[in-house]
Amino acid sequence: MIPAEFDYVAPANLAEALRILNEHGEDAKLLAGGHSLIPLMKLRLARPELLIDLRNVSELRGIRQEGDRLRIGAMTTHAEVAASILVNQQAPALAQAAYEIGDRQVRARGTIGGSLAHNDPAADLPAVMLALDAQIVLRSSSGERVVAAGDFIRGMLETAIEPNELLTEVRVKVAPRSAYVKFPNPASHYAITGVAAAVEGNGNTSAARIGVTGAAPIAYRASGAEAALAGKALSADAIEAASAAAHDGRELLGDIHASAEYRAALVRVLTKRALQKIAG
Ligand SMILES: Cc1cc2nc3c(=O)[nH]c(=O)nc-3n(C[C@H](O)[C@H](O)[C@H](O)COP(=O)(O)OP(=O)(O)OC[C@H]3O[C@@H](n4cnc5c(N)ncnc54)[C@H](O)[C@@H]3O)c2cc1C
């Protein structure tokens, strides 16, 4: 299949990209790595009149630490995130998730911003964003707003991004005690279920955040598991109790890849493995 006809522009900077996006609104689509958008266009499930390619917008690339947050530009690729020493040391769950995405080609072109904007229910990063208490920065020609990950993820392939907005940056909380594990689809490597966990406090847990992706129509925080860890050391018993509570009684997805019951078992097992990985 080939896509319907479209115009193409590659702005040189963020201001120009925002101006063009503002002029064209819903008729335009931003192009990042193209790994999700181009297949949709080929299937004619997306028919933008204009593609705004962000490849030259250097302001959207890079990783740096500011206080207790890592700030990652939207056009930073999965490969760059996976290889970053800063991310590996300060937010290992994110590095591990990026490393697990697709294959080498997907990681070389796919971007953190494109993945979050697409919000596939089986994508890895939504779980990590919840566990790392991420702030998603959205910019339009009239200003900037910062949205918490839990409010950004709205539904299947649906986010808080408005048609005139561009995702510029992701700010994740520094969490050296964090981990991501997944059970991948053997063909695509998307997560049939994936769990990201972050634990604060040395010794006893002062706060725990656990994000689950792939299991339900949208990524969610396993609040039952988080509560089970509060004030406790990451002992085998505490991990077992948290894992048992991670399903949270939610309605889970059942499809050709895995039944809802199988996904419930995965949520429990992967929560256990993520916490064990942190406990060392
Ligand atoms: C074979 C294959 C295997 C894959 N396996 C996995 C996997 O295991 N795990 C996983 O999580 N993902 C997987 N993916 C998806 C991959 O992570 C994609 O890179 C990602 O979903 C989209 O990122 P992109 O940069 O390619 O975005 P694009 O395809 O360019 O864009 C996706 C959407 O986001 C919008 N967009 C892009 N950038 C911005 C921005 N800055 N602001 C606002 N909107 C924006 C676009 O307009 C479009 O609607 C796989 C993809 C393929 C093709």
Side-chain angles (χ1 to χ4, degrees), residues 10-11 18 40 66 72 79 98 116-117 123 143 156 171 180 191 193 197 227 238 241 277:
L18 289 172
L40 287 180
E66 214 174 274
I72 304 165
L116 293 174
M156 224 181 230
R171 300 174 186 162
Y180 179 73
T193 295
K277 204 165 167 181

Side-chain angles (χ1 to χ4, degrees), residues 29-40 54 60 74-75 78 100-103 106 109-115 117-118 120 122-126 161 165-168 182 188-191:
K29 271 274 178 202
L30 297 164
L31 177 68
H35 271 301
S36 296
L37 180 56
I38 301 296
L40 287 180
L54 298 174
L60 295 176
M75 285 295 284
H78 304 315
E100 290 277 333
I101 290 176
D103 54 30
V106 173
R109 287 203 65 87
T111 65
I112 189 167
S115 178
H118 186 61
D120 192 294
D124 296 289
L125 297 182
I161 304 177
E165 284 181 321
L166 194 152
L167 194 166
T168 54
K182 79 172 177 182
S188 70
H189 224 72
Y190 271 101

